[in-house]
Amino acid sequence: MTESPLFDELNSTQREAVAATEGPVLVVAGAGSGKTRVLTYRIAHLVRDLDVSPYSILAITFTNKAADEMKQRVGRMVGAVVRGMWVSTFHSACVRILRREAHRLGYRSAFSIYDDLDARRLVEYCVRDLDLDPKRFPPKQIRAAISKAKNELVDYESFAAAGSGPYHEREAEVYRLYQQRLVEASAMDFDDLLMVTVELLGAFPDVLEEYQRRFRYILVDEYQDTNHAQYRLVQMLGAAHRNVCVVGDSDQSIYAFRGADIRNILEFERDYPDARVIVLDRNYRSTQTILDAANAVISHNRGRTPKSLWTDLGRGDPVAVYRGQDEHDEAAFVAEELAALEDDGVPPSGVAVFYRTHAQS
């Protein structure tokens, strides 16, 4: 078969990742290595070169902005057929499934979706109606515990059985009442969108088979940031054909605080022993000096996929370290550096200042 013209715009490793369309594939994509390009070109290759129906592709990203950007980029390569493709976040994909199928679980097809503010307010009402002291049982804290449980696919009965003690018992009562009121209102919170979809696919084999048949190719971006519910969705939908391509980097996992489980990417090869693993380690953004510094720091992390980023952009300026006497001295140093850069023709908009907490801003 003649090689696709698309491949002319890719380096050899990117080309390998785009061409490996059948079976499970893990693309370990270092920062600045062109992972979005790999995903978009992979979709274009399936549609343009392999004549795969765009309706049989499910591409998952983590934000609506990223989904829109990917759809636009794919559209420029494949044309109007991109409109029939599911390029969306996990939550948006689940909403589309649930609007069609949630009646099987007793919800209206036009069920309401509670945002974080709605959900927290409902928890506050439940705490009040159970006559609990909001200082001893902070609604914000209980809401976070319920969200964590749902991301782990733990319903209120399992949650109640998983702990003991007066505080846990009251917390479980709030979870029970909170969920009861959601169902009575035919409403779901953001975590339900994932959890209820997993429940639906598990309870109705015909629904699962329908979506397995439809989505012959599944692509997931930022796989290191998936939680357990998202992991189960990918596993269930891809079980029949196993054409599952996940892209991510354990070194860039930053969302453990909101339920992301880094084990999902680290154990992909355990879940799919025949998986093809492709490492994108060429960086297009930074100088080698910056990459060497980043490699030196991240190499101390345990449980990571080994890789060392490299670039052909040259060594670049050395990394400078300034140890300030206190926060005022640090701020003065930053101000002086900004002034010096501006004198050299670098506008303030071309400079980024990072700090550890907002209190330091």
Side-chain angles (χ1 to χ4, degrees):
M1 186 180 82
T2 306
E3 190 172 88
S4 168
L6 289 170
F7 291 178
D8 295 342
E9 302 170 41
L10 305 170
N11 68 37
S12 59
T13 317
Q14 291 172 338
R15 199 175 298 141
E16 182 185 0
V18 168
T21 56
E22 304 305 305
V25 178
L26 168 61
V27 179
V28 181
S33 62
K35 70 178 177 63
T36 305
R37 167 171 283 227
V38 164
L39 284 168
T40 53
Y41 276 63
R42 187 181 172 91
I43 295 170
H45 175 53
L46 286 167
V47 176
R48 272 176 46 171
D49 303 327
L50 303 183
D51 205 26
V52 170
S53 166
Y55 301 99
S56 66
I57 297 171
L58 172 63
I60 298 290
T61 66
F62 258 74
T63 66
N64 289 319
K65 182 181 177 183
D68 291 340
E69 182 186 332
M70 183 180 292
K71 205 158 191 175
Q72 288 171 19
R73 290 174 70 165
V74 172
R76 286 195 286 270
M77 289 187 276
V78 303
V81 295
V82 73
R83 295 196 201 103
M85 218 176 281
W86 282 36
V87 182
S88 69
T89 63
F90 273 105
H91 291 89
S92 295
C94 288
V95 169
R96 291 181 72 170
I97 293 171
L98 291 169
R99 291 292 184 208
R100 281 189 57 193
E101 311 290 351
H103 66 275
R104 296 170 181 255
L105 295 173
Y107 291 89
R108 296 192 305 268
S109 61
F111 60 86
S112 302
I113 300 173
Y114 281 19
D115 63 19
D116 288 333
L117 186 61
D118 297 327
R120 191 183 301 179
R121 190 175 293 122
L122 180 55
V123 170
E124 288 172 359
Y125 293 154
C126 292
V127 168
R128 181 198 65 193
D129 293 347
L130 288 168
D131 202 23
L132 300 175
D133 181 355
K135 291 182 179 176
R136 287 190 59 206
F137 301 93
K140 183 178 179 181
Q141 190 172 305
I142 294 178
R143 162 73 186 131
I146 293 172
S147 177
K148 184 178 181 216
K150 289 185 177 185
N151 285 332
E152 293 290 329
L153 301 177
V154 176
D155 61 24
Y156 64 84
E157 291 176 337
S158 303
F159 181 84
S164 59
Y167 184 88
H168 181 80
E169 288 171 9
R170 300 291 89 75
E171 197 173 45
E173 285 178 22
V174 176
Y175 185 0
R176 177 195 58 75
L177 182 58
Y178 171 79
Q179 201 60 29
Q180 176 186 318
R181 290 189 173 172
L182 280 174
V183 174
E184 286 171 353
S186 196
M188 299 187 203
D189 62 23
F190 284 152
D191 303 309
D192 280 328
L193 298 176
L194 304 172
M195 186 176 180
V196 175
T197 303
V198 172
E199 181 185 345
L200 173 79
L201 297 177
F204 298 95
D206 59 318
V207 177
L208 176 59
E209 286 169 19
E210 178 187 345
Y211 286 98
Q212 285 176 337
R213 276 196 308 272
R214 171 163 188 170
F215 298 125
R216 285 179 46 223
Y217 294 91
I218 297 174
L219 301 89
V220 185
D221 193 11
E222 306 290 6
Y223 194 65
Q224 78 277 354
D225 291 328
T226 51
N227 60 36
H228 183 63
Q230 292 161 338
Y231 162 81
R232 281 291 296 143
L233 278 168
V234 173
Q235 198 177 49
M236 295 170 85
L237 290 171
H241 50 71
R242 303 177 76 252
N243 293 328
V244 176
C245 174
V246 303
V247 181
D249 180 11
S250 57
D251 292 344
Q252 297 182 63
S253 179
I254 59 172
Y255 289 117
F257 70 92
R258 69 179 191 198
D261 190 343
I262 196 172
R263 290 175 299 179
N264 294 346
I265 192 166
L266 294 175
E267 297 178 1
F268 187 82
E269 292 172 84
R270 182 206 64 188
D271 295 334
Y272 303 95
D274 57 334
R276 191 164 176 178
V277 181
I278 300 165
V279 179
L280 303 181
D281 56 5
R282 181 180 178 182
N283 178 284
Y284 290 88
R285 285 187 202 148
S286 306
T287 62
Q288 192 62 51
T289 297
I290 291 173
L291 296 179
D292 288 345
N295 288 333
V297 172
I298 205 71
S299 65
H300 296 285
N301 281 15
R302 284 171 288 191
R304 62 187 288 268
T305 305
K307 69 178 177 306
S308 187
L309 295 176
W310 65 277
T311 186
D312 59 4
L313 297 178
R315 295 299 308 173
D317 295 333
V319 175
V321 177
Y322 177 80
R323 181 173 292 177
Q325 303 273 336
D326 53 31
E327 67 271 26
H328 302 292
D329 189 25
E330 283 184 346
F333 170 76
V334 170
E336 288 167 9
E337 288 295 302
L338 286 169
L341 286 167
E342 197 162 13
D343 289 342
D344 289 341
V346 179
S349 60
V351 180
V353 179
F354 293 101
Y355 43 84
R356 191 174 62 84
T357 66
H358 283 303
Q360 293 177 289
S361 66

